[in-house]
């Protein structure tokens, strides 16, 4: 069974994936060009759910029984919620070393990083001033650690390695009394009440969200990307947030912060984020496919990791279509990164050291994908990706709609002479090799 069939948390809005841009500030237009140059990012889903070893915080939602169906953490929902809310007393990642994370990410070739400041459960992985349910609170096991303000130390470590930093933030908050009222029985992931019936309470929640987003951008910046999850918090469900006001205040702090109000569309979804998929039709906006290295975003013991060949194949297909790729890693409750994830990251880094020229700062050539040709382009050069098993085969170049003077094997830096409209693909020691077609100047 596929990952998407097992998990039912993926919110998709096909209409917004095909909408065009409205007017954007010049700073955002320029930043989107920068973003496409980065090409590869890493996202860490880390929180109390790693302590429980479950599918992020989804088991808290009554309607999301898919998350409990094959391994409920507790036998009844009341006990599950009670015990989950108290996991902050156990979550104690004493082996947390953000410098190790950042070094591993840099060696893997990642250019930007997103960190979960808060998932739907409402537990804050930073020292927020607007909630006591946080990693630095006195009742949290980790609060005496010198690096208890996790977001601060993660961001600092990654910036030292030259990696841009962004913040994942769930617009929903199941621990907030302004979203799930105390002593209520929320039926699902939504607010426990209709905001139209309790506008004063909803206004308090709006202010809470605004305060936290500004706090993250002001105190933990520079924030290059503000990645807003929980797409069900929208006008359709009466859960409207004052994004016009929030965005303007964020851009006063840093005018080129990319705001990604996922699946909502409009001017505050600066780029779109297909989840766990390679789009059949590339979005019209700038886009980024979100893929996990394992089955789950957060840490789950004995999770099933994908092969490097599968991951690299997805990366090649996505960048040739014109997208970015962000890969998800779930840190363990002790603060270390899982060994299988580190092994995959190491393989990716080794491949990028040889072929990174064909990835970074390129743009896709989506028109070729329909013919199973995966190409990128940059500075007049075109880069053709081919699978290891194709090494030694004759490849037709008849469908290439550009002229070139010479062809180089990026792995060996040797020139290859085409034979008419065909070329012999070199053997490669990697899952994918790359040919560089140099322009006829």
């Amino acid at each position: 069974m596929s990952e998407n069939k097992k998990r039912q948390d993926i919110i998709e809005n096909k209409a917004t994936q095909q909408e065009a841009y409205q007017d954007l500030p010049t700073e955002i237009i320029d930043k989107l060009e920068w973003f496409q140059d980065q090409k590869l990012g890493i996202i860490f889903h880390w929180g109390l759910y790693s302590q429980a070893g479950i599918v992020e915080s989804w088991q808290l939602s009554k309607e999301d029984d898919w998350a409990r169906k094959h391994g409920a953490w507790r036998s009844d929902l009341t006990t599950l919620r009670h015990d989950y809310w108290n996991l902050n007393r156990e979550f104690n990642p004493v082996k947390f070393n953000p410098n190790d994370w950042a070094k591993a990410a840099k060696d893997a070739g990642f250019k930007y990083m997103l960190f979960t400041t808060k998932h739907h459960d409402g537990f804050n992985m930073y020292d927020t001033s607007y909630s006591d349910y946080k990693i630095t609170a006195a009742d949290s096991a980790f609060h005496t650690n010198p690096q208890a303000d996790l977001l601060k130390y993660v961001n600092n470590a990654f910036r030292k390695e030259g990696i841009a930093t962004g913040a994942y933030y769930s617009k929903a908050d199941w621990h907030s009394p302004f979203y799930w009222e105390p002593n209520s029985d929320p039926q699902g992931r939504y607010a426990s009440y209709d905001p139209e019936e309790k506008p004063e309470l909803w206004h308090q929640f709006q202010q809470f969200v605004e305060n936290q987003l500004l706090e993250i951008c002001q105190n933990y910046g520079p924030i290059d990307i503000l990645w807003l999850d929980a797409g069900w918090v929208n006008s359709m469900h009466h859960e409207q947030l004052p994004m016009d006001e929030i965005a303007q205040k964020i851009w006063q702090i840093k005018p080129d912060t990319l705001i990604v109000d996922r699946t909502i569309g409009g001017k505050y979804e600066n780029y779109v984020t297909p989840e766990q998929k390679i789009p059949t039709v590339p979005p019209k906006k700038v886009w980024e496919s979100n893929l996990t290295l394992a089955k789950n975003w957060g840490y789950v013991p004995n999770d099933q990791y994908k092969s490097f060949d599968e991951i690299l194949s997805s990366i090649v297909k996505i960048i040739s279509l014109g997208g970015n790729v962000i890969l998800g890693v779930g840190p363990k409750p002790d603060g270390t990164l899982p060994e299988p994830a580190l092994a995959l990251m190491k393989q990716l880094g080794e491949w990028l050291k040889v072929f990174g020229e064909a990835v970074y700062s390129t743009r896709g050539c989506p028109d070729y994908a329909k013919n199973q040709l995966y190409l990128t382009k940059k500075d007049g050069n075109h880069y053709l990706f081919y699978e290891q098993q194709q090494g030694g085969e004759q490849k037709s170049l008849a469908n290439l709609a550009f002229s070139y003077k010479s062809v180089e094997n990026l792995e060996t830096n040797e020139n290859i002479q085409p034979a008419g409209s065909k070329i012999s693909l070199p053997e490669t020691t990697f899952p994918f090799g790359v040919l560089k077609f140099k322009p006829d100047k």
Side-chain angles (χ1 to χ4, degrees), residues 267-401:
K267 55 187 174 181
Y268 305 122
E269 191 171 14
N270 292 162
Y271 65 81
V272 294
T273 54
E275 184 171 346
Q276 299 285 35
K277 67 182 293 186
I278 301 170
T280 305
V281 178
K284 293 180 181 178
K285 285 184 173 182
V286 173
W287 58 283
E288 164 199 82
S289 273
N290 314 147
L291 307 174
T292 50
L293 291 184
K295 282 192 173 183
N296 299 287
W297 292 105
Y299 173 75
V300 174
N302 304 312
D303 208 347
Q304 295 180 9
Y305 280 80
K306 299 166 185 171
S307 69
F308 178 62
D309 286 17
E310 179 183 352
I311 291 166
L312 187 57
S313 176
S314 295
I315 290 173
V316 167
K317 291 173 182 177
I318 291 164
I319 64 174
S320 70
L321 288 171
N324 278 26
V325 183
I326 195 163
L327 296 175
V329 175
K332 296 168 67 176
D334 66 2
T336 61
L337 302 183
E339 287 299 326
L342 288 170
L344 290 168
M345 290 165 62
K346 186 174 185 291
Q347 287 178 282
L348 179 59
E350 290 170 350
W351 185 82
L352 285 165
K353 285 175 184 174
V354 178
F355 302 109
E357 177 188 337
V359 176
Y360 303 117
S361 298
T362 63
R363 297 296 181 266
C365 300
D367 291 341
Y368 291 104
K370 59 188 176 184
N371 294 317
Q372 303 300 305
L373 290 172
Y374 303 112
L375 290 102
T376 58
K377 59 185 178 182
K378 174 175 64 178
D379 300 331
N381 300 302
H382 286 78
Y383 302 89
L384 173 67
F385 298 81
Y386 63 93
E387 297 179 29
Q388 185 180 48
Q389 57 265 34
Q390 294 177 298
E393 294 181 3
Q394 294 290 312
K395 185 75 170 178
S396 173
L397 305 178
N399 289 320
L400 299 185

